[in-house]
């Protein structure tokens, strides 16, 4: 069933070929694909050449690709003195006749083979360090705009809270204050989500080029991401609405029935389902952006790529979130404490709820958040993109198509 597109990097069209893979086992190049004897998630058939276009290349005028010749590589029968000895003999690490990992090219920030946890994290950091001229302006500008708007809204929101907590406040004034506070909070959250979507879309394009060892300017990233931006907004909103509706279906019946226990049970069922669905569709965003697909196809692609590896992706995602949280706290906490003692009158004033709307107490933590988000957002986006690439390498042999797009014409045919 051919429903696995190729790597639709900027300027290219998605390919339609999907091939089942092999776990590095031997295979005659002229024989039809055989069912893999090892890991069922590997494929035995290599993708057809010419399905990958380099970023910026027009799909109407594809470059001529050389046809691979039978030689040692991923899923190929080796030639030389060790050919015919039960499959590829790479002579590593124990010398001739010993099984070992085949050599993998590294045109960009990751080697073109299945990735380990350390390689995924290192690839995200390496992209931030090597391509900082693209990554830093994107995250810094968006984070600054989001925090400036948030500080202004919080200023008025906290002023309303001070009025609401004062004496002789009528019930009508309290309701109005709470309503305006909720509205301001909703606006702040919407702006933050919108900023995150823009950053995710542009950084996905930067990371896709970094895998190939190619640079991407801010204007290039915006030009490549813009056609899919509305779809990415729709995908994000659909995920949020789905999570809310799922919670309403599971929790509201108990609340309406007046049964606290039933509501708690519904909540306990809702949270694990929310996590399971979140991981199941965690690769929908890079699928949407890099395969130029629709929202529904992106959900289907993510579900297919995550299948049978849910716990691995969950562990990597959880570790990334924990690291991002601690990095953010280490950066933001000093700004918050300095703001409290320098402008808020110390911990006693904070407990009393006075001066919470002080400009200094709002601006200093916002500066810390700008710095933290500038570091954390590209790190998390990079891990997600590299997880997507890793899953496609494992399931669909994307490494050969990546190598061709990076200009490694003989990769996988003559000695890797």
């Amino acid at each position: 069933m051919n429903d696995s597109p190729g790597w639709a990097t900027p300027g290219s069209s998605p390919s339609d070929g999907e091939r089942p893979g092999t776990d590095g086992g031997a295979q005659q190049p002229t024989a039809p694909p055989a069912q893999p004897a090892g890991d069922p998630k590997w494929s035995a058939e290599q993708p057809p050449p010419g399905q990958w276009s380099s970023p910026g290349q027009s799909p109407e005028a594809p470059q001529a690709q050389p046809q691979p010749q039978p030689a040692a590589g991923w899923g190929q029968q080796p030639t030389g003195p060790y050919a015919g000895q039960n499959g590829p003999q790479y002579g590593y690490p124990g010398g001739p006749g010993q099984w070992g990992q085949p050599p993998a090219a590294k045109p960009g920030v990751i080697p073109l083979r299945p990735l380990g946890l350390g390689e995924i994290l290192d690839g995200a950091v390496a992209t931030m360090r090597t391509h900082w001229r693209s990554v830093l302006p994107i995250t810094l500008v968006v984070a600054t705009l989001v925090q400036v708007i948030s500080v202004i809204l919080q200023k008025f929101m906290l002023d309303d809270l001070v009025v609401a907590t004062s004496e002789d406040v009528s019930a009508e004034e309290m309701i109005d204050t709470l309503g305006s506070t909720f509205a301001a909070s909703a606006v702040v959250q919407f702006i933050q989500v919108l900023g995150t979507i823009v950053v995710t879309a542009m950084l996905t394009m930067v990371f896709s080029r970094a895998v190939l060892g190619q640079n991407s300017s801010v204007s290039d990233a915006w030009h490549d991401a813009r056609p899919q931006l509305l779809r990415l907004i729709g995908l994000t909103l659909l995920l949020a609405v789905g999570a809310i509706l799922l919670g309403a279906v599971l929790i509201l019946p108990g609340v309406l029935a007046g049964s606290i226990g039933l509501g708690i049970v519904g909540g306990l069922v809702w949270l694990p389902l929310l996590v399971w669905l979140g991981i199941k569709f965690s690769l929908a965003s890079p699928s949407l952006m890099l395969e130029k697909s629709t929202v529904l196809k992106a959900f289907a692609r993510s579900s297919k790529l995550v299948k049978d590896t849910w716990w691995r992706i969950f562990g990597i995602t959880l570790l990334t979130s924990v690291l991002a949280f601690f990095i953010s706290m280490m950066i933001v906490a000093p700004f918050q404490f300095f703001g409290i003692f320098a402008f808020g009158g110390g911990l006693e004033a904070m407990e009393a709820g006075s001066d919470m709307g002080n400009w200094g107490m709002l601006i200093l933590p916002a500066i810390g958040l700008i710095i933290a988000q500038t570091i954390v957002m590209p790190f998390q986006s990079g891990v997600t993109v590299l997880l997507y690439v890793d899953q496609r390498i494992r399931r669909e042999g994307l490494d050969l198509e990546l190598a061709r797009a990076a200009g490694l014409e003989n990769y996988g045919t003559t000695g890797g």
Side-chain angles (χ1 to χ4, degrees):
M1 182 175 182
N2 295 329
D3 60 349
S4 298
W7 180 269
T9 43
S12 66
S13 60
S15 64
D16 296 322
E18 176 188 4
R19 57 183 182 77
T22 175
D23 199 12
Q27 178 185 345
Q28 295 293 340
T30 57
Q35 184 69 23
D39 192 344
K41 296 189 289 294
W42 283 87
S43 68
E45 178 184 333
Q46 302 301 339
Q51 297 297 318
W52 180 296
S53 298
S54 298
Q57 176 182 327
S58 173
E60 287 78 10
Q63 297 293 329
Q65 299 291 340
Q67 297 294 329
Q69 300 298 324
W74 289 93
Q76 299 285 348
Q77 182 70 27
T79 59
Y82 301 106
Q85 296 185 12
N86 299 324
Q89 307 294 320
Y90 297 102
Y92 173 83
Q98 299 295 322
W99 284 95
Q101 191 175 31
K106 189 178 180 182
V109 294
I110 59 170
L112 300 184
R113 56 171 169 76
L115 305 175
L117 170 62
E119 290 170 326
I120 292 176
L121 299 179
D122 180 70
V125 175
T127 303
M128 295 167 58
R129 183 177 64 250
T130 306
H131 303 274
W132 64 269
R133 290 180 179 84
S134 301
V135 174
L136 181 62
I138 293 172
T139 54
L140 182 60
V141 171
V142 173
T144 301
L145 290 176
V146 168
Q147 291 306 317
V148 167
I149 298 174
S150 299
V151 165
I152 295 174
L153 291 176
Q154 287 177 19
K155 171 65 178 176
F156 296 104
M157 180 182 69
L158 292 176
D159 285 344
D160 288 340
L161 284 177
V162 172
V163 173
T165 55
S166 61
E167 298 179 356
D168 301 329
V169 177
S170 64
E172 184 178 354
E173 292 175 338
M174 179 69 72
I175 293 175
D176 291 341
T177 299
L178 292 177
S180 61
T181 300
F182 177 79
S185 300
V187 172
V188 170
Q189 292 299 321
F190 176 78
I191 292 172
Q192 290 180 344
V193 170
L194 188 62
T196 302
I197 292 173
V198 173
V199 170
T200 300
M202 296 179 68
L203 289 181
T204 299
M205 299 306 174
V206 174
F207 276 89
S208 68
R209 291 174 179 263
V211 169
L212 302 177
Q214 300 173 355
N215 294 320
S216 177
S217 65
V218 176
S219 60
D220 290 337
W222 171 250
H223 178 269
D224 297 331
R226 186 175 56 187
Q228 292 292 99
L229 193 57
L230 288 179
R231 288 181 175 178
L232 184 60
I233 294 175
L235 185 147
T236 305
L237 292 178
L238 189 59
L239 284 174
V241 171
I244 295 173
L245 291 178
L246 181 62
V249 169
L250 294 174
I251 299 175
L252 275 183
V255 174
L256 296 177
S259 174
I260 299 177
L262 186 59
I264 294 176
V265 171
L268 293 177
V269 174
W270 176 57
L271 290 177
L273 278 176
L274 201 61
V275 174
W276 179 73
L277 290 173
I279 299 300
K280 183 180 180 68
F281 299 129
S282 62
L283 303 183
S285 173
S287 298
L288 179 80
M289 299 302 298
L290 297 177
E291 298 176 10
K292 310 298 183 185
S293 64
T294 62
V295 173
L296 296 181
K297 287 183 179 180
F299 282 128
R301 285 288 290 151
S302 178
S303 177
K304 182 177 181 179
L305 292 173
V306 174
K307 184 180 179 182
D308 298 329
T309 57
W310 189 94
W311 284 107
R312 177 177 179 269
I313 296 177
F314 169 74
I316 295 175
T317 304
L318 178 62
L319 177 61
T320 303
S321 301
V322 171
L323 291 175
F325 172 77
F326 280 106
I327 292 172
S328 299
M329 289 299 298
M330 291 174 61
I331 296 174
V332 175
F335 287 91
Q336 287 181 329
F337 281 111
F338 184 77
I340 291 172
F341 287 101
F343 301 99
L347 296 177
E348 295 180 357
M350 182 179 178
E351 293 177 358
S354 61
D355 293 332
M356 293 299 295
N358 186 287
W359 281 109
M361 290 188 62
L362 294 175
I363 293 176
L364 281 178
I367 294 175
L369 283 171
I370 291 173
I371 298 173
Q373 290 177 352
T374 302
I375 298 173
V376 166
M377 283 195 294
F379 176 67
Q380 291 182 302
S381 298
V383 169
T384 302
V385 173
L386 295 183
L387 268 175
Y388 164 82
V389 174
D390 175 57
Q391 287 301 109
R392 291 203 60 189
I393 290 176
R394 291 173 181 269
R395 293 181 177 273
E396 301 168 3
L398 186 65
D399 52 314
L400 297 181
E401 200 171 349
L402 285 168
R404 284 193 292 268
L408 306 178
E409 297 181 355
N410 296 324
Y411 179 79
T413 61
T414 55

